Amino acid sequence: YFKKYQQALSRLSEEQRVAFMLNKVEGKKHEEIAEMLGITRKVVEYRIYTAFSILKNELEGFKI
């Protein structure tokens, strides 16, 4: 499972991966991430949304 997850994460752009990991792994809020990265909250939301879309497609049909 870990290998498949790592492969899926590698499909994300660096910007998407950073936003996703800060939010889902470190528990940072969108506003915190925006301040840290010097971008707007909307950009953070978009990066996380697109990361989820990519991960969903990459992991589709994969059973945990």
Side-chain angles (χ1 to χ4, degrees):
Y1 172 76
F2 183 74
K3 185 177 179 180
K4 181 71 174 169
Y5 183 70
Q6 287 297 106
Q7 288 174 338
L9 284 175
S10 73
R11 301 267 195 262
L12 303 177
S13 71
E14 182 68 19
E15 292 86 3
Q16 292 165 331
R17 189 171 30 259
V18 167
F20 179 81
M21 298 299 278
L22 286 171
N23 181 246
K24 300 304 174 192
V25 176
E26 295 187 23
K28 304 279 187 206
K29 295 182 180 184
H30 293 185
E31 193 63 39
E32 292 176 286
I33 298 167
E35 288 179 22
M36 290 172 66
L37 300 179
I39 56 178
T40 67
R41 184 179 52 82
K42 287 288 187 188
V43 172
V44 171
E45 290 171 358
Y46 179 74
R47 288 179 183 178
I48 293 169
Y49 172 80
T50 55
F52 264 126
S53 295
I54 292 167
L55 291 174
K56 180 182 172 190
N57 286 334
E58 290 293 320
L59 297 172
E60 188 174 15
F62 186 71
K63 303 284 183 196
I64 297 175

